[in-house]
Amino acid sequence: MKLYHLVTSLLSVNTYFLINDETKEAVVIDGGENYKKVKQAEQSLGVTIKAVLLTHGHFDHAGNAKKLQEDGAKIYISKIDAPKLKNELNLGGNFGRAFDYLDADVTFSDGDKFTICGIDFEVVMTPGHTDGSATFIVENMMFTGDTLFLESVGRTDFPTGSREQLVASIKRLYAREGDYKVYPGHQNFTTLEHERKYNTFVDYD
Ligand SMILES: [Zn+2]
């Protein structure tokens, strides 16, 4: 499995391609907003996007999901955030961004495990940034969306956000044994061990 990263959307979302080298199939985590940029990456990598996993339903992470779905990718999102793909809670309207409404193909809940393109995923629900935010675990990697950032955390002042839930969610991630590479929804990569030591937002209360 290969990991490829690009930055998409107005708000600089991290879009990740997880690539099965043998089949040249890819799972995308948070497609972002730029359809063209993602399609260009798909082409230059010589892969086919089979699925898009969304950490949550905000427009900057999910804005191109409808178009990618039309191209044949299955869209995955938590059961709780799925309605945000077709209502104003994706916040596109708040930021003046168009959002193509869609129905997700697959919804998931806490603890769900699935294999796509030969890659094993585990879902840890990490509410707080939105009530349906998820973290995806793949091998020794965590894709944390807008839950956990390098020495920072996601905003909790949007609708369905909760600071208490966010801190509890991150503590759940901390409680996992060992270290993980952390790939957040914005900004730089980090590790779980680094955050356990240096993330002052979580020890705040
Ligand atoms: Zn968000």
Side-chain angles (χ1 to χ4, degrees):
M1 201 263 294
K2 248 191 209 139
L3 178 68
Y4 175 78
H5 160 251
L6 69 158
V7 177
T8 66
S9 103
L10 194 70
L11 300 177
S12 297
V13 161
N14 289 326
T15 291
Y16 301 98
F17 279 65
L18 280 66
I19 298 165
N20 180 323
D21 262 333
E22 281 168 26
T23 63
K24 297 290 173 198
E25 293 173 331
V27 178
V28 165
I29 297 182
D30 286 349
E33 280 188 284
N34 310 83
Y35 173 69
K36 273 189 193 158
K37 211 169 172 181
V38 171
K39 294 308 275 187
Q40 277 165 5
E42 182 184 31
Q43 225 173 19
S44 65
L45 291 164
V47 300
T48 306
I49 300 171
K50 303 298 280 187
V52 177
L53 272 55
L54 299 172
T55 57
H56 63 293
H58 281 161
F59 74 101
D60 52 330
H61 296 252
N64 60 16
K66 175 67 174 172
K67 288 200 178 85
L68 295 173
Q69 186 182 46
E70 284 170 354
D71 289 344
K74 297 268 181 264
I75 310 299
Y76 288 62
I77 190 166
S78 75
K79 200 180 262 182
I80 298 166
D81 260 22
K84 297 183 182 64
L85 298 181
K86 44 183 186 176
N87 69 30
E88 69 287 350
L89 288 178
N90 65 62
L91 304 185
N94 299 48
F95 286 80
R97 308 295 287 171
F99 188 99
D100 297 325
Y101 282 4
L102 69 146
D103 285 302
D105 297 287
V106 181
T107 58
F108 51 72
S109 305
D110 191 48
D112 282 1
K113 291 178 182 179
F114 38 80
T115 304
I116 318 168
C117 305
I119 302 164
D120 295 328
F121 294 85
E122 179 188 344
V123 174
V124 180
M125 287 305 293
T126 45
H129 175 66
T130 64
D131 53 355
S133 286
T135 290
F136 303 114
I137 313 260
V138 181
E139 298 173 4
N140 66 336
M141 298 175 280
M142 276 182 182
F143 297 87
T144 55
D146 288 359
T147 298
L148 178 62
F149 299 125
L150 169 64
E151 295 180 24
S152 187
V153 298
R155 285 175 65 170
T156 53
D157 56 329
F158 295 129
T160 82
S162 155
R163 175 163 188 93
E164 292 71 32
Q165 280 197 326
L166 187 86
V167 169
S169 290
I170 293 170
K171 285 183 175 167
R172 273 189 81 198
L173 296 177
Y174 284 2
R176 292 180 75 96
E177 231 170 89
D179 200 9
Y180 286 81
K181 292 174 182 171
V182 174
Y183 296 100
H186 300 271
Q187 303 162 347
N188 294 327
F189 311 149
T190 179
T191 68
L192 199 61
E193 192 52 28
H194 182 90
E195 298 313 308
R196 285 177 182 129
K197 280 186 189 150
Y198 301 110
N199 195 317
T200 52
F201 289 88
V202 180
D203 294 324
Y204 185 79
D205 356 59

